[in-house]
């Protein structure tokens, strides 16, 4: 794994942490319809990217 991949994984993990907190807040206070689905899709996308980077 090269330096660029490690940096991208770190950035993704930081963003995942933020998104998970936003998701918890969105589930607790469901103001915007579709926000929970959008956050879950974004989290799944980032997790897939991290797995892809780790595999290479």
């Amino acid at each position: 794994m090269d330096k660029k991949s490690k940096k991208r994984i770190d950035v993704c993990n930081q963003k995942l942490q933020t998104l998970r907190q936003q998701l918890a807040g969105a589930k607790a206070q469901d103001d915007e319809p579709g926000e929970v689905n959008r956050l879950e899709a974004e989290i799944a996308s980032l997790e897939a990217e991290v797995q892809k980077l780790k595999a290479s």
Side-chain angles (χ1 to χ4, degrees):
M1 188 180 308
D2 61 347
K3 194 173 187 180
K4 187 175 179 181
S5 295
K6 286 182 182 181
K7 180 64 177 173
R8 182 66 186 152
I9 289 172
D10 288 342
V11 169
C12 286
N13 283 332
Q14 289 173 358
K15 190 163 185 172
L16 278 168
Q17 185 177 6
T18 304
L19 286 172
R20 287 186 179 120
Q21 289 173 347
Q22 289 178 352
L23 180 61
K27 284 183 178 179
Q29 185 177 359
D30 195 15
D31 289 344
E32 293 183 35
E35 183 178 17
V36 173
N37 292 336
R38 180 186 62 81
L39 290 170
E40 287 175 342
E42 205 170 332
I43 288 171
S45 172
L46 282 172
E47 286 176 341
E49 184 177 348
V50 168
Q51 291 300 322
K52 181 180 172 187
L53 287 170
K54 285 183 179 180
S56 63

